[in-house]
Amino acid sequence: MSPPNAQALYRAIEATWPTAAITRAGPWAIRDGKGGGKRVSAATAEAAFDATDLATAEAAMRALGQPPLFWIREGEDALDTLLAQAQYDIIDPVNLYVADTAPIAAHRPPPVSTFLMPEPLAIMREIWATGGIGPARIQVMDRACAPKTTILGRTADRPVGTGFAAIHQGTAMVHALEVLPTARRRGMARHMMHALAGWAQAHGAPHLALAVTQANAPGNALYRSLGMHVAGRYHYRIKKGNTP
């Protein structure tokens, strides 16, 4: 099975990290994220548009209590240019990594270092909270398609890491991988990725993927060291003067 391309990865992101609702406003898909972050709140162009259509999207997002925010995927240069001209700033350029599952799954994490859980424990929610992943993002995980899993990482008999993964059309997407600051750079994120790859392989997913901001140098270095490669990119544009 060929590795997913950027377009397939965008679909996997939407299925495994889903918004609460999508409505159409003119040529735009308007996402109601319910506070779950940029991925589930950004609008996209789903039909031909011009500059006069931009106000429609802005009004629809403001009606939801969300700032005007757009998701710009590869090949959407016309939208990117339009938003730049309308004083929208680029925010959070993202790399989409993908790899075959089997080579990563072949490296087993140390005994009792990772535990797969169908639902997150309270301590996992606390770890996520330290990284800004609060209840609204936990609700995103609740909405995700099955099969899915959460993971707890432990070192020195202490919970120090957590993450989430779900599978869409043969691709296991990893989200919300978080390690406590005091436990970083000790291999826990790598152990969790190995364990999640093993879970993906057991559930018949030949590919493992994730999205990480280009500014996250340690994360990018980790995923490259696992043999993952960049298969696509995206970024957001937000109206100047607004915060996500």
Side-chain angles (χ1 to χ4, degrees):
M1 185 176 181
S2 299
N5 60 17
Q7 297 302 319
L9 291 173
Y10 300 144
R11 293 191 292 271
I13 287 172
E14 295 232 60
T16 60
W17 196 258
T19 189
I22 300 178
T23 57
R24 288 294 294 268
W28 313 107
I30 305 297
R31 291 170 178 79
D32 184 356
K34 302 293 185 188
K38 294 186 291 296
R39 284 190 210 171
V40 293
S41 304
T44 49
E46 304 300 331
F49 61 87
D50 60 35
T52 63
D53 294 310
L54 191 54
T56 300
E58 293 174 342
M61 285 183 273
R62 289 194 175 106
L64 293 172
Q66 299 175 174
L69 176 72
F70 290 83
W71 181 16
I72 312 299
R73 300 160 295 192
E74 289 187 355
E76 296 183 332
D77 296 344
L79 177 58
D80 203 31
T81 299
L82 171 64
L83 293 171
Q85 293 170 346
Q87 296 192 319
Y88 276 72
D89 293 326
I90 290 177
I91 185 171
D92 287 350
V94 166
N95 288 330
L96 283 168
Y97 283 92
V98 69
D100 290 345
T101 300
I104 302 175
H107 298 273
R108 300 299 184 187
V112 301
S113 63
T114 60
F115 300 86
L116 296 166
M117 309 270 187
E119 299 289 337
L121 302 175
I123 186 61
M124 298 162 70
R125 296 171 186 265
E126 291 174 14
I127 293 169
W128 270 318
T130 66
I133 301 168
R137 285 174 169 83
I138 303 297
Q139 291 174 6
V140 175
M141 302 179 204
D142 292 341
R143 293 194 295 265
C145 60
K148 59 185 177 180
T149 190
T150 63
I151 188 168
L152 173 66
R154 290 173 61 88
T155 187
D157 204 31
R158 291 192 310 115
V160 297
T162 190
F164 171 80
I167 296 173
H168 175 71
Q169 294 184 349
T171 297
M173 290 290 304
V174 178
H175 300 277
L177 199 70
E178 187 69 31
V179 177
L180 290 175
T182 55
R184 290 175 185 167
R185 300 178 186 266
R186 300 180 187 177
M188 179 48 62
R190 181 180 299 274
H191 296 333
M192 289 193 292
M193 288 295 293
H194 288 156
L196 289 170
W199 171 83
Q201 187 177 52
H203 285 79
H207 301 113
L208 189 70
L210 53 81
V212 62
T213 60
Q214 293 174 12
N216 184 347
N220 282 274
L222 168 64
Y223 305 130
R224 288 194 299 267
S225 75
L226 290 169
M228 306 183 82
H229 69 274
V230 175
R233 294 177 176 85
Y234 65 83
H235 61 270
Y236 303 96
R237 279 198 181 263
I238 191 166
K239 187 73 170 180
K240 191 179 294 291
N242 287 266
T243 56

